[in-house]
Amino acid sequence: MGLFLFVAAVKGKQPLEIAASIKIYLDQIGFKTEIKSAEKWREEIKNRSNFDVIDPLALTAIFNLKNNFSTISFDNCPFQETDACKQISNQLDTIVSLIEVYDSSTWYHRLFQNGSIIDKFCNNPEEFEGIEKAIKFKGNPSTLTRIFGINELEIEQYLFQFTSENREINLSRKISPSDDYSLESEWFFIDFWKKLGIEYPKSSPQFVLFHKIK
């Protein structure tokens, strides 16, 4: 089985206020959520008996603000990440960039502003959405330029969609020689995020939310 990954970046907000926003949303839809600090989380890691590979913990990790973005990692969460990001964007009146990776082959980018989705992209729409819907997931470079203050022509190259005709000749291609990943990599979104000014988290989280059904 390939990689399944759900991560988001929230503009200009601190980890604790993001955690509080997520908790409010989950309380509303019937999930009990406990917020723990990084120190408490490290204690959990040391006690491996708390971890179950068959029934893993459902948690959301929130990382420190960097380059004006705090990042979120959703792990085994029993709720829709898209709905959570919409809530965060609405309640905190900000921008949220959500990345979803499915089975290593396909990744989505959804962009929320003040509770509304303003852009969406999929790198492999023919396989996951069908040819008819592919146009809806092209992504809009002018929207990304307006929101993130970046070069439109440059970011447009990262909105590359695989088709049955172009797949084979583009699998190993990098958009820029300075990129870390090729188009076929499940981690290509990290290079895309870099162009938006967002850094994928490499350190321990600041806060962790544990989720349970009430």
Side-chain angles (χ1 to χ4, degrees):
M1 185 173 68
L3 176 71
F4 289 80
L5 182 72
F6 304 88
V7 290
V10 182
K11 185 177 181 180
K13 304 298 177 180
Q14 296 293 335
L16 187 56
E17 58 185 327
I18 296 170
S21 177
I22 295 173
K23 188 177 188 306
I24 290 171
Y25 164 69
L26 295 179
D27 285 344
Q28 292 173 347
I29 64 173
F31 289 96
K32 182 179 179 181
T33 299
E34 181 182 3
I35 301 175
K36 292 190 177 184
S37 66
E39 290 75 15
K40 293 286 187 180
W41 169 234
R42 292 188 187 99
E43 291 177 9
E44 294 276 358
I45 292 178
K46 290 179 182 178
N47 186 2
R48 288 295 176 178
S49 62
N50 288 342
F51 291 82
D52 187 339
V53 294
I54 297 177
D55 186 20
L57 290 172
L59 56 88
T60 298
I62 306 175
F63 299 81
N64 268 333
L65 191 72
K66 191 165 186 179
N67 298 333
N68 205 31
F69 285 93
S70 294
T71 46
I72 307 170
S73 175
F74 300 98
D75 297 296
N76 305 307
C77 293
F79 55 85
Q80 291 295 319
E81 293 81 5
T82 51
D83 292 339
C85 288
K86 181 178 180 180
Q87 167 69 13
I88 295 167
S89 175
N90 183 48
Q91 187 175 27
L92 299 183
D93 193 26
T94 190
I95 295 293
V96 178
S97 168
L98 172 65
I99 297 290
E100 305 162 86
V101 179
Y102 293 95
D103 203 17
S104 295
S105 65
T106 302
W107 65 275
Y108 287 80
H109 177 244
R110 303 182 198 270
L111 186 63
F112 301 84
Q113 183 178 33
N114 305 340
S116 298
I117 185 165
I118 60 172
D119 193 39
K120 56 185 180 180
F121 169 78
C122 176
N123 77 318
N124 196 19
E126 286 189 6
E127 182 175 335
F128 265 60
E129 301 293 338
I131 296 177
E132 298 80 6
K133 293 184 179 180
I135 188 68
K136 296 182 179 180
F137 292 88
K138 286 188 66 174
N140 191 329
S142 63
T143 297
L144 299 180
T145 297
R146 175 174 59 84
I147 295 297
F148 296 98
I150 54 180
N151 182 283
E152 182 172 341
L153 293 177
E154 185 174 7
I155 196 60
E156 184 176 18
Q157 299 178 68
Y158 287 81
L159 301 176
F160 178 86
Q161 292 182 311
F162 284 115
T163 67
S164 56
E165 289 79 19
N166 70 21
R167 183 179 304 276
E168 291 301 321
I169 62 173
N170 284 288
L171 285 174
S172 61
R173 181 168 70 89
K174 289 185 177 182
I175 298 298
S176 169
S178 62
D179 285 346
D180 293 319
Y181 303 98
S182 64
L183 286 167
E184 69 178 328
S185 173
E186 59 263 53
W187 299 105
F188 174 76
F189 76 87
I190 292 179
D191 289 319
F192 167 75
W193 251 9
K194 283 181 182 178
K195 294 300 177 182
L196 302 185
I198 301 169
E199 184 173 322
Y200 185 76
K202 299 176 183 177
S203 58
S204 298
Q206 186 70 14
F207 294 98
V208 175
L209 289 74
F210 292 84
H211 312 302
K212 292 183 180 180
I213 299 175
K214 290 183 178 178

